[in-house]
Amino acid sequence: MTILHIETSTKNCSVSISRNGKMLCLCEEYDQNYGHSEKLHQFVNWALEGAEISLKELDAVCVSKGPGSYTGLRIGVSAAKGFCFGLDIPLISLNSLEILGQTQIDKGFDLIIPMIDARRMEVYTASFDDNGKMISDIEAKVLDETSFQELADKKTAFVGDAVEKSKPVLNLPHAEFIEGIHPSAKQMIALAEKKFIQKEFEDVAYFEPFYLKEFIAGIKKS
């Protein structure tokens, strides 16, 4: 199976191509300005060239469905659906927190807590065990000094682009705050392969991103 993977839930615009569980090429860039609309299709083209395959060789497209950036998710899902419609191939979706949690599996933690920035002191988060299995519901959580106190005796990995702002607030003696890690298309491969084998596909016509919260437009700062 040959799968195109698209991850745009954060400021990291990431594309990979895999064949039978092996990554053939990865193109990604972290952009503070969310330049996904300009870069995504170029990254897809570069990934295809790097993998030395054509679009017609793809068996499926896998996309990060969220939660995360409203604009980033909309761009990634729209592109994925376009490829699936045009090529008549199935669509696979993955949770962006699960993708992020994959970076810390099998590292000896009791819990893995991926956190994606939702602005101010709010984060999108969920809990995973050391094997990457989700063990709590996804939520939009406002952080304060009482957050996650029930995990004070656990060896917990906090990871994601919300770690920097959460570290000074959370008083957890056994926690590790792992900065500089973002959801990446390279972490999608094993998860997507499993869903492909089990034929867990989305309805391309009706599939929408998982925003978790309603989008509220703000006034652009000058």
Side-chain angles (χ1 to χ4, degrees), residues 108-111 147-158 171-176:
F109 293 107
D110 296 320
L111 291 172
S147 300
F148 299 108
Q149 285 303 304
E150 70 277 10
L151 308 180
D153 62 340
K154 303 286 187 180
K155 185 179 180 182
T156 305
F158 289 90
N171 183 24
L172 299 168
H174 301 293
E176 289 191 31

Side-chain angles (χ1 to χ4, degrees), residues 4-217:
L4 168 67
H5 310 269
I6 297 174
E7 219 304 332
T8 57
S9 64
T10 67
K11 295 177 181 178
N12 191 41
C13 183
S14 184
V15 173
S16 71
I17 293 175
S18 67
R19 176 167 285 166
N20 297 330
K22 179 181 179 181
M23 186 169 70
L24 301 181
C25 191
L26 172 70
C27 295
E28 63 181 357
E29 182 177 68
Y30 184 83
D31 186 350
Q32 289 283 357
N33 297 316
Y34 282 106
H36 298 1
S37 60
E38 293 84 12
K39 296 175 180 177
L40 180 57
H41 285 279
Q42 183 64 69
F43 284 7
V44 171
N45 288 334
W46 286 345
L48 290 168
E49 291 175 5
E52 298 182 340
I53 66 169
S54 68
L55 276 173
K56 293 181 179 180
E57 294 179 69
L58 295 177
D59 296 306
V61 178
C62 181
V63 68
S64 173
K65 66 180 179 181
S69 159
Y70 180 91
T71 302
L73 292 172
R74 184 179 60 193
I75 290 168
V77 169
S78 295
K81 291 174 70 172
F83 287 126
C84 289
F85 270 124
L87 299 169
D88 192 24
I89 56 177
L91 175 67
I92 301 166
S93 75
L94 296 174
N95 184 285
S96 53
L97 292 169
E98 184 178 15
I99 296 167
L100 184 54
Q102 292 292 301
T103 64
Q104 304 305 313
I105 62 173
D106 298 327
K107 292 187 178 181
F109 293 107
D110 296 320
L111 291 172
I112 301 167
I113 311 290
M115 296 193 299
I116 293 177
D117 193 4
R119 299 186 180 181
R120 297 185 178 88
M121 288 310 295
E122 191 170 24
V123 300
Y124 300 125
T125 190
S127 300
F128 297 79
D129 66 17
D130 188 45
N131 295 315
K133 180 181 178 181
M134 186 182 294
I135 55 177
S136 75
D137 294 332
I138 300 168
E139 62 177 326
K141 188 178 186 71
V142 178
L143 299 178
D144 59 31
E145 62 276 3
T146 68
S147 300
F148 299 108
Q149 285 303 304
E150 70 277 10
L151 308 180
D153 62 340
K154 303 286 187 180
K155 185 179 180 182
T156 305
F158 289 90
V159 60
D161 62 4
V163 165
E164 185 176 354
K165 73 179 184 183
S166 67
K167 187 176 180 179
V169 177
L170 302 180
N171 183 24
L172 299 168
H174 301 293
E176 289 191 31
F177 296 88
I178 303 161
E179 299 182 35
I181 304 293
H182 313 284
S184 170
K186 64 186 175 184
Q187 267 89 44
M188 299 172 72
I189 294 171
L191 297 170
E193 182 181 24
K194 182 178 179 180
K195 282 199 167 187
F196 186 95
I197 292 171
Q198 296 175 348
K199 296 185 178 181
E200 295 182 26
F201 303 135
E202 302 292 347
D203 186 321
V204 178
Y206 295 100
F207 179 73
E208 294 290 339
F210 175 50
Y211 296 121
L212 192 58
K213 296 196 308 178
E214 290 186 8
F215 174 69
I216 300 175

